[in-house]
Amino acid sequence: FDPRHYLGTHCYGLPKTGPHRLRFLLESVKDLRETLKKKGSTLVVRKGKPEDVVCDLITQLGSVTAVVFHEEVREML
């Protein structure tokens, strides 16, 4: 979870993620983790800036051969 997603927007100061969306995200992640666990896998969940967290995970795991990600689509102003 990137803490920057829970700050106010730069235009109106409104939260990017309100309480209802946050609850939905947390429930979705919990459900995904439970589904993966039933299939013999797991889900790593971390809080922090992705550019820091991913580097830390790669260092921890030590045997990473690939990293796949997607870039968030930003609204054009």
Side-chain angles (χ1 to χ4, degrees):
F1 289 94
D2 186 339
R4 295 172 288 196
H5 286 259
Y6 307 97
L7 302 174
T9 60
H10 65 279
C11 293
Y12 303 106
L14 300 172
K16 292 180 183 180
T17 304
H20 300 293
R21 183 173 184 199
L22 179 59
R23 184 174 341 122
F24 173 78
L25 288 171
L26 292 173
E27 289 172 357
S28 297
V29 168
K30 181 180 177 186
D31 183 64
L32 177 58
R33 177 180 269 163
E34 290 171 2
T35 300
L36 289 170
K37 189 174 180 180
K38 289 176 187 174
K39 296 181 180 290
S41 190
T42 190
L43 178 66
V44 176
V45 178
R46 297 286 187 269
K47 176 184 172 189
K49 294 180 180 177
E51 57 269 26
D52 298 331
V53 171
V54 172
C55 287
D56 291 345
L57 283 173
I58 290 170
T59 301
Q60 271 183 329
L61 297 172
S63 62
V64 176
T65 57
V67 176
V68 179
F69 66 94
H70 77 90
E71 186 174 349
E72 181 178 353
V73 177
R74 295 185 183 250
E75 193 175 318
M76 301 274 297
L77 296 177

